[in-house]
Amino acid sequence: MQISDNIRGAMLMAGSMTAFTVNDAFMKALADELPLMQALFLRGIGVALCLLVLCRMMGQLKFDLGRRDWVLILLRTLAEVGGAFFFLTALFHMPIANLSAILQTLPLTVTLAGAVFLGETLGWRRFSAILIGFCGVLLIVKPGGAGFDIYSIYAIAAVACVTLRDLAARRMSHAAPSVLVALMAAIGVTLFAGLMALFVDWAPLSGRAALQLGGAMVFIIGGYVFSVAAMRVGDLSFVAPFRYTSLLVALILGLLIFGDFPDRLTLLGAAIVVTTGLFTLYREARLRRRQTPIIGRAR
């Protein structure tokens, strides 16, 4: 049976989100044995080396890019560094499903930031969905509640960094190779973690921790590869909603591995965030179709 491009793209996106979430589970499990910066540095070495090989194999190791692209790559890398720090710090201290639910606001924050900073069109429907989605986030983090702490703020800061990262990627020209951009980000995160690791006491690497670290490396590289491939297969409007696979996987892993399951308010907030995110993606897809010339569609 022949698989359509849309189904293939959806499978790749679901695979990407699953791989990233399993990587998160491995990194969270390492929190019992390794300091954050040690774990991030060791993982980063393996990820950077593998991406370097992949970049070379795909012929994407190109440095003759324009100055504007390099500035955007630098900005994206700095945002990646901030996102990795805030996300993993939060991950080490809060349930994986709660953190994943907060991260699902990315379609909303990227849309809002695109309107504010890039002058992209934002109608009242999508703006209303964004406001409702942020109300869902409040249900998840519960400001003023017993479960609200600095790590909830770190999770929101991670969303802000990843939003900046995605905006920078939007502004890059098509000449900037995807894997090269990911490689630069991996190098930036590794250098930052290596510098910070100089100021922490390193823990011995047990056999169990080594396996967990290896698993994190394998799955995050798989996430990178699948995500790049997913963006090149099928219609984005069909493929993009499958990014919410990560929340389902996080719920399952959180329950089976860490014994965590969100309370009713968190689940309600997550449902609101996902629903508004899906609506935003749907409206963006309709807007793109309206803006596409008839001749362009015929092709």
Side-chain angles (χ1 to χ4, degrees):
M1 184 179 74
Q2 188 174 5
I3 300 177
S4 68
D5 285 344
N6 277 346
I7 297 299
R8 187 178 294 110
M11 292 171 64
L12 287 168
M13 177 60 78
S16 169
M17 293 300 102
T18 299
F20 279 130
T21 309
V22 173
N23 156 75
D24 295 340
F26 274 120
M27 292 298 290
K28 184 173 177 63
L30 281 168
D32 294 334
E33 295 192 43
L34 300 182
L36 169 62
M37 289 302 159
Q38 179 186 351
L40 187 56
F41 176 65
L42 293 176
R43 188 194 71 173
I45 292 174
V47 171
L49 288 175
C50 290
L51 284 176
L52 177 61
V53 172
L54 180 64
C55 196
R56 185 67 182 271
M57 289 174 58
M58 296 178 67
Q60 294 193 8
L61 201 61
K62 301 175 182 178
F63 299 99
D64 55 342
L65 303 176
R67 180 179 177 181
R68 182 173 180 273
D69 277 335
W70 279 117
V71 170
L72 289 170
I73 288 174
L74 175 61
L75 178 61
R76 186 188 183 280
T77 299
L78 292 174
E80 185 81 52
V81 170
F85 170 74
F86 287 120
F87 176 81
L88 289 175
T89 303
L91 181 66
F92 272 37
H93 296 90
M94 64 186 297
I96 187 173
N98 292 40
L99 181 56
S100 179
I102 296 172
L103 263 290
Q104 304 312 312
T105 60
L106 280 173
L108 305 176
T109 58
V110 170
T111 298
L112 180 60
V116 173
F117 298 107
L118 303 181
E120 297 178 358
T121 303
L122 180 60
W124 70 269
R125 292 181 180 87
R126 284 189 294 163
F127 184 72
S128 300
I130 289 170
L131 290 180
I132 295 171
F134 288 161
C135 291
V137 174
L138 293 178
L139 291 176
I140 297 169
V141 301
K142 305 177 186 66
F148 183 77
D149 54 23
I150 186 63
Y151 301 113
S152 299
I153 302 297
Y154 275 34
I156 295 172
V159 171
C161 289
V162 176
T163 300
L164 176 59
R165 181 198 71 183
D166 288 354
L167 285 184
R170 278 193 183 193
R171 306 303 290 176
M172 291 179 195
S173 71
H174 293 295
S178 301
V179 182
L180 175 65
V181 173
L183 172 62
M184 293 297 105
I187 291 174
V189 171
T190 304
L191 291 176
F192 168 77
L195 178 64
M196 297 299 292
L198 295 174
F199 302 97
V200 301
D201 295 327
W202 281 45
L205 192 65
S206 67
R208 178 188 175 192
L211 288 174
Q212 291 170 338
L213 199 57
M217 291 179 190
V218 170
F219 278 97
I220 196 170
I221 292 168
Y224 278 131
V225 174
F226 288 153
S227 64
V228 172
M231 290 296 97
R232 296 181 174 181
V233 180
D235 298 325
L236 185 60
S237 59
F238 184 88
V239 173
F242 285 86
R243 71 181 315 279
Y244 292 108
T245 304
S246 61
L247 179 56
L248 176 61
V249 176
L251 286 169
I252 295 171
L253 293 179
L255 178 62
L256 295 181
I257 299 177
F258 304 107
D260 296 325
F261 196 77
D263 57 28
R264 292 180 180 178
L265 275 181
T266 300
L267 289 174
L268 176 60
I272 291 173
V273 168
V274 170
T275 302
T276 53
L278 288 171
F279 177 78
T280 301
L281 292 171
Y282 165 74
R283 293 297 303 178
E284 287 181 352
R286 286 197 62 181
L287 182 63
R288 279 195 298 268
R289 283 197 294 268
R290 288 176 183 174
Q291 293 175 343
T292 303
I294 295 177
I295 294 177
R297 293 181 199 170
R299 293 177 184 174

